[in-house]
């Protein structure tokens, strides 16, 4: 049986939950009917929808898995003329300040992050927790990480860092629930108070 040939341009249009194609080892797979059955969840597949997912697939699956699902899901192959495009797409890395928040957060590796972290529905976490996470990540990346080596060498964290945490309202997070507002004279962030309501 002759397999139908697709180009990278053909693949780009099939990148949604209702129409999800991926490339694995040069073959095109229509993952749409399999999304709900994927053991790692549909989101990790949607992250590479319309793209070459060979590298990601090989990291977590063996050839037997491919052999099992090829008859059910394979709909064609990628033409030879698209090899250069494939390489360029595979090597693309997001810019340092580029963050894809459309499908959760983190590496999207099954069981590699808490389920809520990848935006699966949870009764325990909400948008306030995500805001806390974003604010803390920005603070640590900008005001902590660049100086860790220096502080480690000196075996001392400057008191100004602790003061800065207090000024931002971060230290209030260790006070527990319910938050003792009447004893706290510093800055209280709305997102911090809101996030403690769920604990």
């Amino acid at each position: 049986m002759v397999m139908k040939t697709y180009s990278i341009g053909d693949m780009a249009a099939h990148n949604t939950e209702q129409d999800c194609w991926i490339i694995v080892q040069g073959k095109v797979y229509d993952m749409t009917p399999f999304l709900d059955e994927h053991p790692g969840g549909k989101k990790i597949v949607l992250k590479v929808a319309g793209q070459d997912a060979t590298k990601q697939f090989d990291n977590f699956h063996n050839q037997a898995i491919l052999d099992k699902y090829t008859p059910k899901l394979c709909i064609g192959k990628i033409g030879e003329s698209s090899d250069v495009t494939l390489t360029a797409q595979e090597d693309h890395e997001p810019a340092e300040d580029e963050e894809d928040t459309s499908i959760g957060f983190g590496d999207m590796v099954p069981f590699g992050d808490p389920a809520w972290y990848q935006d699966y529905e949870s009764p325990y976490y909400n948008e306030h927790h995500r805001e806390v996470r974003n604010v803390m990540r920005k603070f640590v990346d900008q005001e902590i990480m660049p100086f860790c080596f220096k502080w480690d060498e000196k075996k001392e964290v400057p008191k100004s860092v602790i003061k800065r945490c207090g000024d931002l309202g971060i230290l209030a997070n260790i006070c527990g629930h319910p938050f003792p507002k009447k004893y706290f004279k510093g800055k209280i962030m709305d997102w911090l108070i809101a996030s403690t309501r769920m604990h």
Side-chain angles (χ1 to χ4, degrees), residues 9-135:
D10 296 328
M11 294 296 300
H14 303 277
N15 62 356
T16 67
E17 187 172 345
Q18 292 73 36
D19 184 17
C20 177
W21 293 9
I22 64 171
I23 304 165
V24 177
Q25 297 178 7
K27 292 181 180 176
V28 178
Y29 292 81
D30 183 356
M31 298 294 289
T32 314
F34 186 65
L35 287 177
D36 289 331
E37 300 173 32
H38 187 256
K42 69 175 70 173
K43 293 188 178 187
I44 196 167
V45 180
L46 289 171
K47 198 171 179 77
V48 291
Q51 304 173 42
D52 187 350
T54 302
K55 185 177 178 181
Q56 293 88 337
F57 180 89
D58 289 346
N59 282 338
F60 297 99
H61 306 82
N62 58 39
Q63 186 61 37
I65 298 296
L66 201 59
D67 294 341
K68 177 181 177 180
Y69 287 101
T70 292
K72 301 175 185 177
L73 302 175
C74 183
I75 59 172
K77 64 181 180 178
I78 293 295
E80 293 180 5
S81 61
S82 62
D83 287 349
V84 174
T85 311
L86 268 174
T87 303
Q89 188 168 8
E90 184 178 273
D91 290 343
H92 170 71
E93 292 292 336
E96 196 169 314
D97 59 350
E98 176 186 341
E99 181 180 314
D100 180 11
T101 56
S102 59
I103 308 176
F105 189 86
D107 295 326
M108 304 306 288
V109 175
F111 310 109
D113 296 309
W116 77 270
Y117 205 58
Q118 298 184 354
D119 280 345
Y120 285 96
E121 201 61 42
S122 169
Y124 305 108
Y125 296 93
N126 56 39
E127 67 278 4
H128 297 297
H129 294 89
R130 292 177 179 83
E131 190 176 353
V132 170
R133 177 185 66 195
N134 293 339
V135 169

Side-chain angles (χ1 to χ4, degrees), residues 147-158:
F147 310 104
C148 283
F149 180 77
K150 179 180 176 182
W151 297 340
D152 187 52
E153 288 293 300
K154 291 182 69 175
K155 300 189 181 339
E156 181 182 8
V157 176

